Amino acid sequence: MKLRSLFLGVALGLSAFAVQAQIQTLPATQFQDANEQTIALTPQTKWVLLSSEKAAGKAVKESLEAMEITDVEAAGGLYIADVSAMPGFITKLFAIPKMQDYSFRMAVVNDEAQLQDWPKKEDHVTAMKLNNLNVESVEYFDNAEALQAWIKAQK
């Protein structure tokens, strides 16, 4: 039965990869959003989305907009866009101004060391379920539909 469900999920293109999270606690952290305002990971944060590549960021944007989530924090979440691999002038001239026009706030990370030990998978959105900053689970998504289903399950 499990094998059949796996094949069905793959056939539907719901490419989420669940990973058994090691017991990990994230530190309460303050970030800057695209408008240089403080946005924080706190003990009240229930879930975190992390994107490090353009395709993953697009999946998060599509998901949040399709779900009409304009206040990620009020929904219990935090979205972090890791732009540290992007050349600085591209970030400043193009990426940040574009992010400022999004209907939701996100943390923007320019320093790769800030997220060095965080779980990541190339070309995927990292989705973490938290309980008082303790990571309960980590999953990876490469499409908006599967990510939306995960976000809905967090409510």
Side-chain angles (χ1 to χ4, degrees), residues 118-134:
W118 289 47
K120 296 178 191 172
K121 184 173 183 174
E122 190 173 335
D123 298 324
H124 287 75
V125 177
T126 301
M128 293 181 277
K129 183 176 180 180
L130 306 178
N131 182 3
N132 198 30
L133 297 174
N134 294 309

Side-chain angles (χ1 to χ4, degrees), residues 33-88:
D33 69 8
N35 294 305
E36 298 182 1
Q37 300 296 313
T38 300
I39 187 170
L41 173 65
T42 69
Q44 291 73 41
T45 305
K46 301 296 180 200
W47 51 273
V48 174
L49 302 177
L50 171 62
S51 66
S52 300
E53 292 96 13
K54 187 175 182 176
K58 183 178 177 184
V60 174
K61 183 178 184 295
E62 287 177 10
S63 296
L64 295 175
E65 288 178 348
M67 298 175 72
E68 299 180 357
I69 296 176
T70 57
D71 190 342
V72 178
E73 294 164 286
L78 175 66
Y79 170 35
I80 303 170
D82 178 0
V83 297
S84 62
M86 189 180 298

Side-chain angles (χ1 to χ4, degrees), residues 102-151:
Y102 288 2
S103 61
F104 53 87
R105 281 182 10 138
M106 70 181 80
V108 180
V109 174
N110 292 305
D111 180 6
E112 66 183 306
Q114 192 170 11
L115 301 173
Q116 182 176 349
D117 296 327
W118 289 47
K120 296 178 191 172
K121 184 173 183 174
E122 190 173 335
D123 298 324
H124 287 75
V125 177
T126 301
M128 293 181 277
K129 183 176 180 180
L130 306 178
N131 182 3
N132 198 30
L133 297 174
N134 294 309
V135 178
E136 292 188 338
S137 66
V138 178
E139 295 185 51
Y140 300 97
F141 299 94
D142 65 356
N143 68 73
E145 294 80 18
L147 181 58
Q148 288 173 40
W150 186 87
I151 294 169

